[in-house]
Amino acid sequence: MNATDHVMALTSPTSKSSSLIKKTFPVTGMSCAGCAVSVESILATVPGVSSASVNFAAGSVAVEYEKSTSTEDLQNAVQSVGYGLIIDTESPVEAQEEQQYRHYQEARQRTIWSAVFTIPVVVLGMFFTGWGPGKWISLALSIPVLFWFGRHFFINALRQAKYRKANMDTLVALSTGIAFFFSLFNTLFPEFWLSHGLQPHVYYEAATVIITFISLGKLLEERAKSNTSSSLKKLMGLQPKTLIVIIDGEEVEMPIATVKAGQVVVVRPGEKIPVDGEVLEGHSFVDESMITGEPVPTEKAKGGKVFAGTINQKGSFRFRAEKVGGETLLSQIIKMVQEAQGSKAPVQKLVDKIAGIFVPVVIGVSLLTFATWMVAGGDNAFTHALLTSIAVLVIACPCALGLATPTAVMVGIGKGAENNILIKDAESLELAHRVNAVVLDKTGTITEGHPVVTDVIWLDESRVQESAAIFLAMELQSEHPLAEAVVKRLKIEQVRPAEVTGFHSITGKGVRAEGMDEITYFAGNRKLISEQSISMNSELERAALELQADAKTVIFFSDEKEVLALAAITDRIKATSPAAIAALKGLGIEVHMLTGDNRQTAAVVAQQSGIEHFMAEVLPSEKAEYVKQLQAQGKIVAMVGDGINDSHALAQADVSIAMGKGSDIAMDAAKMALITSDLQSIPKALKLSRKTVLGIRQNLFWAFIYNLIGIPVAAGVLFPFTGFLLDPMIAGAAMAFSSVSVVANSLRLRTVKI
């Protein structure tokens, strides 16, 4: 099984109750974190729904529900509170993008026309306050802004109120509605205020500017949010739309959605491979860097496996489709990235709780502000009370709070996918920045995981060609795992096998055969040579001891009289492992190595790779116990492994990372998976976590500090000291800016180096 076969395991669904289905649906129409809470809570009331988790930034909801619950039930529930749920489509993500694009274009038109109508209202309100007809003109221009271009705010607020819920639309509808209807009263009945010695002021410009600014902010926010999933779009872009199949001996082009497993697919030079399968005929090289991270194209011939999204080079071939649609490796990777981007980091759960009570609290603060000003506002009490309570409603936007975590997580997980790091959930991404101890399995993680011949030393250079041919012939017939390493090495050196007879395998020692010169030859361990009383040159003896001291396995090749050659075999340390381990140490992380191998080999590997802490001859359960001991010392442990024997330790670790050539079980147990087998991806993953968490903290800081400062200022706390009152128009602009700034800060992650 090769690396890409193993990678499939990382996308396999975890075992859950067979009665439950877990699906992610695109949601449309959400405008703030309060909307996300509304969608979650309404879905939770649907019979059969076990859980619902909304990702506001991704515009999706992950729902776990019983088979008896229909997707139409889910859709109807979401629609009842004013949102849309996309179901029953072959390409839900594309359907969502199309709907989002239409929504964006409609929002753009609404924003432009709102601005066109608002500008003259602002001019009249600021420069022609004493002009009588100006109020009536402003009234006429304000009506379409509020009740046509901004009607969705009021419609959504009413739908929320129907279910005793509130969101950002509630705040906008309340603030602009109060400002408009108060102004309308003053326009129609100015004598009421004049009889009390007060001027009947109107605030049409405040109401229209709030609608326009918030619409503009939402427009910019939608545009910025669409960039957070750009890495996912890149992955989707690897999927061709059509393919060519052989039907009744003819080449037929058809949509990729219609292809079935078992059909024969034709791939021409330069084309993307559309589905997973096995080559039937032809020969080519395929760029599989999107899966393996290796830049060198992989040779493909009959029997070779090919994967969707990889790019064919100059040759052409035919292959049998084995996995199509959502079963392909690429589709599974895309699905995993989507689910990870939709998962919630622990900090997000706290933010969701805050967002759920935020709007009602803000309405309460607004009412308190109004009451306070009415009591202590003096001559202009009502005017100040109205303006400040409206400003509080407008500036207290939960959008920035709701976007702070998911946008950073989405960009972080996408950045990881671009660097061959697949992150299964947001929790592991958030936790990884706290890791201060990394435990590495030796075989296949630090080392290459397969034996290779590092040294071949010959007794007589003049007889190399003849001796090597016999050595190769014997090892070709041997069933010992180490024999394959010798065969590969000799074939690389262009050795051709000689003819041998009387081949015999000697259990636990080696092999024996006769050459055409009727001389008996042996290949095996030192015990075999000793038992046959075969002599060894002192230089070869010294070389053998040195190789064994380096934890290499030595195969002795001899004739009946003397040893002719030594072949040293080892599981070689990956070229990048020492640099990766040094990078981890540079991050202040302790590096530990565990192996079931003997202590001598473990010590050599540890010394060569720069590891101080290691343990040899450990059983799988002891690996998990070692991790537990580190955790008992207060360490946050990341376990990195690739084998079935690592799965227990992976499950025990705080952060679990599976290598790209790992077993299916190891892949399933891990929360992160490296598509490449390069250890240098591990410090990259930890750096990525640090950058992402820093981005989340920055976002939350600005979201909280914005409301912490903005709400009191809007309520008028500065007025007694400076005479400053925040105009609702400025509050609307500030609210819009806060959301855009949070998304923009998250997008910076796309440019950082890891």
Side-chain angles (χ1 to χ4, degrees):
M1 186 182 286
N2 59 30
T4 40
D5 289 325
H6 288 301
V7 174
M8 286 300 296
L10 60 90
T11 57
S12 60
T14 53
S15 56
K16 291 185 178 284
S17 170
S18 58
S19 64
L20 290 179
I21 299 169
K22 185 175 182 181
K23 286 184 91 173
T24 300
F25 301 97
V27 181
T28 59
M30 293 191 297
S31 60
C32 72
C35 300
V37 174
S38 295
V39 172
E40 280 184 4
S41 56
I42 197 67
L43 283 170
T45 65
V46 177
V49 171
S50 172
S51 67
S53 178
V54 171
N55 184 334
F56 173 45
S60 64
V61 58
V63 189
E64 199 168 358
Y65 57 97
E66 293 179 2
K67 290 180 179 178
S68 57
T69 304
S70 70
T71 51
E72 285 76 14
D73 293 337
L74 305 178
Q75 189 178 51
N76 292 336
V78 172
Q79 287 175 343
S80 70
V81 283
Y83 310 105
L85 194 73
I86 298 175
I87 61 171
D88 295 336
T89 174
E90 289 180 356
S91 304
V93 177
E94 288 183 10
Q96 183 187 27
E97 284 187 356
E98 286 177 17
Q99 199 152 332
Q100 283 177 336
Y101 179 74
R102 285 198 300 271
H103 176 71
Y104 176 79
Q105 291 300 320
E106 289 169 5
R108 187 169 174 269
Q109 291 298 316
R110 286 198 303 266
T111 304
I112 291 171
W113 284 107
S114 293
V116 168
F117 280 77
T118 297
I119 289 169
V121 175
V122 172
V123 172
L124 289 169
M126 294 181 71
F127 302 107
F128 299 92
T129 51
W131 186 43
K135 294 179 182 179
W136 293 97
I137 295 170
S138 294
L139 170 61
L141 293 172
S142 298
I143 290 172
V145 174
L146 267 75
F147 304 113
W148 183 250
F149 304 124
R151 69 188 184 279
H152 56 284
F153 292 114
F154 296 91
I155 293 169
N156 291 339
L158 288 171
R159 282 174 173 163
Q160 293 292 313
K162 180 182 173 184
Y163 289 90
R164 296 180 181 178
K165 298 181 185 300
N167 63 4
M168 185 57 208
D169 294 331
T170 308
L171 299 182
V172 176
L174 277 174
S175 59
T176 57
I178 291 169
F180 175 82
F181 285 109
F182 177 68
S183 301
L184 177 63
F185 180 85
N186 289 356
T187 303
L188 297 175
F189 308 106
E191 61 278 0
F192 175 83
W193 298 107
L194 292 170
S195 64
H196 289 81
L198 297 171
Q199 284 296 316
H201 295 292
V202 294
Y203 301 98
Y204 294 121
E205 75 279 4
T208 55
V209 167
I210 288 168
I211 293 288
T212 302
F213 271 152
I214 290 175
S215 297
L216 178 62
K218 287 292 166 193
L219 194 69
L220 294 173
E221 182 186 302
E222 286 298 322
R223 190 171 179 178
K225 274 165 59 181
S226 68
N227 290 328
T228 61
S229 58
S230 61
S231 58
L232 194 60
K233 290 174 184 174
K234 285 178 187 174
L235 283 173
M236 291 175 178
L238 294 171
Q239 296 175 305
K241 303 294 182 187
T242 62
L243 77 171
I244 297 171
V245 298
I246 304 296
I247 299 177
D248 297 329
E250 299 288 328
E251 292 187 1
V252 179
E253 186 171 356
M254 57 195 294
I256 193 167
T258 61
V259 70
K260 293 180 173 58
Q263 289 187 302
V264 177
V265 182
V266 178
V267 179
R268 297 192 177 106
E271 290 182 344
K272 289 177 182 173
I273 293 168
V275 294
D276 295 0
E278 182 179 321
V279 177
L280 297 175
E281 59 180 84
H283 179 271
S284 185
F285 287 85
V286 175
D287 179 358
E288 294 185 335
S289 57
M290 55 79 62
I291 293 175
T292 63
E294 300 297 330
V296 180
T298 307
E299 187 175 6
K300 299 293 177 183
K302 185 176 180 179
K305 299 288 184 181
V306 291
F307 301 92
T310 56
I311 303 169
N312 184 32
Q313 301 292 291
K314 295 181 179 179
S316 62
F317 56 88
R318 295 183 179 187
F319 71 94
R320 181 189 297 108
E322 292 182 336
K323 292 182 179 178
V324 300
E327 294 181 352
T328 66
L329 173 60
L330 180 60
S331 294
Q332 293 294 322
I333 289 173
I334 290 170
K335 182 181 177 184
M336 199 211 73
V337 173
Q338 282 178 317
E339 287 180 355
Q341 289 186 333
S343 64
K344 289 187 179 179
V347 69
Q348 178 64 18
K349 293 166 187 173
L350 173 63
V351 171
D352 285 348
K353 288 180 181 177
I354 294 169
I357 61 170
F358 188 81
V359 174
V361 167
V362 168
I363 292 171
V365 171
S366 177
L367 292 172
L368 180 63
T369 300
F370 184 88
T372 304
W373 275 101
M374 286 300 291
V375 171
D379 294 339
N380 296 310
F382 186 80
T383 301
H384 287 171
L386 183 69
L387 284 175
T388 52
S389 58
I390 289 173
V392 167
L393 289 172
V394 172
I395 203 166
C397 173
C399 299
L401 200 60
L403 288 167
T405 302
T407 51
V409 167
M410 284 179 69
V411 176
I413 288 172
K415 181 83 174 176
E418 289 176 3
N419 286 274
N420 296 315
I421 305 162
L422 293 181
I423 299 160
K424 291 191 179 182
D425 61 39
E427 186 171 357
S428 60
L429 178 64
E430 185 182 334
L431 186 60
H433 82 284
R434 294 171 53 203
V435 166
N436 51 22
V438 171
V439 178
L440 303 172
D441 171 54
K442 178 184 77 71
T443 307
T445 302
I446 297 172
T447 66
E448 292 178 347
H450 56 84
V452 292
V453 173
T454 58
D455 308 87
V456 179
I457 303 171
W458 297 94
L459 173 66
D460 186 351
E461 291 294 332
S462 65
R463 294 178 56 192
V464 167
Q465 189 172 358
E466 174 192 339
S467 299
I470 297 170
F471 193 10
L472 175 58
M474 293 173 69
E475 294 294 64
L476 276 169
Q477 296 185 53
S478 173
E479 295 179 358
H480 195 281
L482 296 182
E484 189 179 342
V486 176
V487 169
K488 282 184 179 177
R489 173 62 180 261
L490 294 177
K491 281 188 174 180
I492 287 171
E493 294 179 357
Q494 311 263 316
V495 176
R496 292 183 177 276
E499 287 187 34
V500 293
T501 59
F503 178 84
H504 178 66
S505 178
I506 306 167
T507 305
K509 298 171 187 174
V511 294
R512 180 184 70 205
E514 289 184 8
M516 298 310 291
D517 53 7
E518 297 185 356
I519 295 174
T520 301
Y521 293 89
F522 299 89
N525 56 24
R526 184 182 286 271
K527 192 173 183 181
L528 175 65
I529 301 301
S530 299
E531 285 183 356
Q532 299 298 322
S533 302
I534 296 169
S535 66
M536 183 161 31
N537 177 286
S538 60
E539 288 185 15
L540 286 182
E541 178 68 51
R542 189 165 52 251
L545 293 172
E546 288 175 358
L547 292 169
Q548 287 169 333
D550 282 341
K552 294 179 180 179
T553 300
V554 179
I555 291 180
F556 299 83
F557 172 64
S558 73
D559 58 18
E560 298 162 346
K561 297 177 181 177
E562 60 183 345
V563 173
L564 304 175
L566 305 176
I569 299 176
T570 189
D571 181 6
R572 196 160 46 194
I573 293 173
K574 294 173 187 171
T576 55
S577 290
I581 290 161
L584 287 170
K585 288 181 176 179
L587 294 172
I589 296 169
E590 270 186 21
V591 183
H592 300 251
M593 183 187 78
L594 298 179
T595 179
D597 212 337
N598 64 74
R599 181 169 178 80
Q600 183 188 9
T601 301
V604 170
V605 171
Q607 187 269 327
Q608 290 177 351
S609 55
I611 296 174
E612 288 91 18
H613 312 280
F614 70 91
M615 188 174 176
E617 299 175 7
V618 292
L619 299 172
S621 59
E622 291 173 331
K623 288 186 178 183
E625 191 59 38
Y626 190 91
V627 171
K628 204 179 287 185
Q629 287 171 10
L630 290 175
Q631 290 170 327
Q633 296 169 21
K635 297 188 185 299
I636 305 297
V637 182
M639 173 68 194
V640 186
D642 73 329
I644 293 172
N645 62 337
D646 300 319
S647 56
H648 188 183
L650 287 167
Q652 175 65 40
D654 300 290
V655 176
S656 47
I657 304 172
M659 299 300 291
K661 294 184 179 179
S663 71
D664 292 0
I665 294 175
M667 288 289 187
D668 198 44
K671 294 297 183 185
M672 291 187 186
L674 308 179
I675 298 180
T676 173
S677 60
D678 188 348
L679 265 187
Q680 287 184 316
S681 292
I682 296 169
K684 281 185 180 181
L686 301 184
K687 283 181 189 174
L688 176 64
S689 172
R690 294 183 180 190
K691 298 286 186 183
T692 304
V693 169
L694 178 62
I696 291 171
R697 287 176 175 170
Q698 289 170 342
N699 288 347
L700 288 174
F701 171 79
W702 288 113
F704 277 114
I705 208 76
Y706 167 82
N707 283 300
L708 201 62
I709 295 171
I711 291 175
V713 170
V717 295
L718 296 179
F719 185 78
F721 311 104
T722 64
F724 174 77
L725 278 180
L726 186 67
D727 192 297
M729 292 186 291
I730 299 172
M735 186 281 291
F737 176 75
S738 70
S739 296
V740 175
S741 62
V742 162
V743 178
N745 186 53
S746 294
L747 289 172
R748 286 192 313 108
L749 274 171
R750 292 168 59 192
T751 61
V752 300
K753 289 186 177 181
I754 58 172

